[in-house]
Amino acid sequence: MPTPTTAPARQAGFINVVRVISGNFLEMYDFMVFGYYASAIAATFFPAGTPFASLMLTMMTFGAGFLMRPLGALVLGAYIDRRGRRAGLVLTLGLMAFGTLTIACVPGYATLGLLAPALVLAGRLLQGFSAGVELGGVSVYLAEIAPAGRKGLYISWQSASQQLAVIFAALLGMTLNHYVGAEMMSRWGWRIPFIVGCLILPCLFWIRRMLEESEAFQKRRPPPRTREIFRSVARSWPLIALGVCMVAATTVSFYMITAFTPTYGKAILHFSAEESFIVTLGVGLSNLFWLPLMGALSDKIGRRPLLLTFTSLMLLTSYPVLYWLADAPTLQRLIAAELWLSFLYAGYNAAMVVTLTEIMPAEVRATGFSMAYSLATAIFGGFTPAIASVLIHQSGDNALPVVWLSLAGLLGLMAALLLPRLYRAGAMTTAYSSPVIRTLCQK
């Protein structure tokens, strides 16, 4: 039974979690909507000689947003580490909002010519710049407010909020397809989800501005100067490189089962838009179920066992599952395959994100985390839909995207294996030699 003093503390903790993940919801919502309506956006802004070429231009624009993430991680991460978690999270939400509004309101190629795709690209780049530190800022804030022994559970809600965005976007897409119609959605209706994202912005700003600064940051006085932050990030390159390998597995698997699924279902396996949205909805619900559960499990048994288990399963089972799907594609098989990959993603991600916050030194925690995550998404995750499409188009094998997924899983497995070796070799200096890290590396 909670005591009178613990109950208010838990309630306050829950409220802070809701406040901080609200903006994270918008970030993932915008990214998912762009992926869901890639074909319609291609026809509006990127007309080309063939539908494949037009789609590829759109997929590359989707990926280009990720190229801005490392710059956003460095610039905005330093801002968060110096000015505070709350101030930085409000700023990233504002930048994301402006990028979303740009994409929602720009007229098509038929009206503006080349200026139209240029403006859409600019909106995506701005979204990527702000997203470069959004996830890191949220994860660090949750890590710093989490009670002892519950850090994995708290940080798992960062990823869980993204699944709420996937679910909301899928439900909205199904509703619009039913009432507006597929033809109208392709012509102009795809803008509605972006406008919806803009309409909820005032509420998200109000929620996030009520955030309280984390106690851990308040105790760091005076805050480090920007030059000191950059120097510390440069010294932390072994950990950032390790983090890139760790994040590769989670970012590739996530965008494989979410952003690429609607295109894969419609363009490759020839399912209807409604069926593809049903699958995506199922993936979002599955992720939402498994992430907090696996985050809590990592608090009990350690992070590394989950990292090793799920990367191994990713390597061993991904090709058989996708080959089974591609050999005789049915909606039931697509749902089963996606739910299995969702289980692998959630089990690994829940342990990976909290591990990444724990291995970064406190003075550059937001910057170091964001650099590792944004570099991995720029190199691996952001171009997953485009690479998967090319692999299928060039080979004719609908299961071949598993090559990209397996490469990411191998990097994640290697990182989990190297983590204790780096610690014993002294790559983690005294700044990282906390009891948490020692326990993490031993388990």
Side-chain angles (χ1 to χ4, degrees):
M1 293 291 293
T3 66
T5 56
T6 59
R10 290 181 181 179
Q11 183 179 6
F14 173 77
I15 292 173
N16 277 332
V17 169
V18 172
R19 286 172 178 170
V20 73
I21 66 176
S22 61
N24 205 40
F25 169 92
L26 179 66
E27 176 210 336
M28 188 48 55
Y29 171 80
D30 289 337
F31 274 67
M32 288 301 99
V33 166
F34 197 98
Y36 290 167
Y37 297 102
S39 299
I41 294 172
T44 303
F45 297 107
F46 303 96
T50 64
F52 175 75
S54 180
L55 179 62
M56 284 304 300
L57 286 172
T58 306
M59 290 296 188
M60 295 303 287
T61 302
F62 177 82
F66 291 85
L67 295 179
M68 289 294 289
R69 284 195 171 202
L71 180 60
L74 188 62
V75 175
L76 298 177
Y79 180 86
I80 289 178
D81 280 325
R82 176 162 176 77
R83 297 295 299 273
R85 317 310 188 199
R86 176 186 176 277
L89 290 173
V90 172
L91 175 61
T92 59
L93 183 59
L95 294 173
M96 177 65 70
F98 192 79
T100 302
L101 187 63
T102 300
I103 297 173
C105 299
V106 170
Y109 183 89
T111 303
L112 294 182
L114 291 175
L115 182 60
L119 290 173
V120 170
L121 178 60
R124 284 290 300 148
L125 294 177
L126 186 58
Q127 284 183 327
F129 181 77
S130 64
V133 79
E134 168 70 23
L135 191 148
V138 169
S139 299
V140 166
Y141 184 87
L142 291 173
E144 292 180 346
I145 69 170
R150 302 184 70 187
K151 190 177 294 186
L153 175 62
Y154 263 58
I155 297 178
S156 70
W157 286 106
Q158 173 270 121
S159 298
S161 70
Q162 297 180 342
Q163 312 317 311
L164 291 173
V166 172
I167 294 168
F168 180 72
L171 287 173
L172 181 60
M174 292 169 60
T175 303
L176 290 174
N177 273 352
H178 179 75
Y179 288 103
V180 178
E183 183 179 353
M184 291 296 100
M185 286 300 298
S186 297
R187 292 175 57 184
W188 57 267
W190 63 266
R191 295 183 185 271
I192 297 176
F194 285 98
I195 295 173
V196 169
C198 294
L199 292 177
I200 64 177
L201 274 169
C203 179
L204 296 181
F205 267 113
W206 177 73
I207 292 174
R208 184 160 277 191
R209 284 181 64 86
M210 295 172 65
L211 274 176
E212 298 177 0
E213 188 54 79
S214 71
E215 184 178 351
F217 181 83
Q218 289 177 334
K219 290 180 178 179
R220 290 169 49 209
R221 288 289 183 265
R225 292 177 294 179
T226 302
R227 182 172 56 186
E228 295 171 347
I229 293 173
F230 289 164
R231 286 177 178 173
S232 185
V233 168
R235 290 195 302 268
S236 303
W237 70 265
L239 290 179
I240 292 176
L242 185 76
V244 169
C245 294
M246 291 171 58
V247 177
T250 201
T251 188
V252 170
S253 59
F254 177 75
Y255 286 105
M256 184 78 74
I257 64 176
T258 54
F260 183 61
T261 291
T263 300
Y264 186 69
K266 289 184 290 185
I268 307 300
L269 301 182
H270 307 295
F271 292 116
S272 68
E274 289 79 6
E275 290 172 327
S276 296
F277 278 124
I278 289 173
V279 175
T280 307
L281 176 62
V283 167
L285 290 170
S286 173
N287 291 344
L288 183 61
F289 172 79
W290 287 114
L291 281 165
L293 188 63
M294 292 298 174
L297 181 61
S298 76
D299 288 329
K300 299 296 184 182
I301 68 172
R303 326 297 184 200
R304 194 161 173 262
L306 294 183
L307 298 178
L308 294 172
T309 298
F310 284 100
T311 50
S312 298
L313 286 174
M314 196 178 297
L315 289 170
L316 292 173
T317 66
S318 295
Y319 184 76
V321 167
L322 284 184
Y323 179 82
W324 171 73
L325 169 63
D327 184 57
T330 63
L331 181 60
Q332 291 76 14
R333 288 195 175 196
L334 178 59
I335 292 174
E338 291 289 310
L339 290 181
W340 173 249
L341 294 177
S342 162
F343 172 66
L344 298 184
Y345 154 76
Y348 176 79
N349 183 78
M352 185 280 299
V353 175
V354 64
T355 301
L356 198 56
T357 65
E358 289 173 332
I359 66 176
M360 294 297 168
E363 64 270 16
V364 291
R365 186 169 289 147
T367 310
F369 181 106
S370 299
M371 281 297 297
Y373 211 102
S374 60
L375 284 171
T377 53
I379 298 170
F380 298 100
F383 291 99
T384 290
I387 291 172
S389 299
V390 169
L391 288 172
I392 294 172
H393 183 76
Q394 294 295 327
S395 68
D397 184 354
N398 291 342
L400 206 61
V402 77
V403 172
W404 188 238
L405 181 60
S406 296
L407 173 62
L410 179 62
L411 290 174
L413 178 60
M414 291 172 56
L417 292 171
L418 284 172
L419 188 61
R421 183 173 299 179
L422 284 176
Y423 173 73
R424 290 193 297 267
M428 300 180 190
T429 64
T430 54
Y432 318 112
S433 300
S434 67
V436 172
I437 298 302
R438 286 194 291 270
T439 303
L440 173 70
C441 293
Q442 290 164 1
K443 290 184 177 180

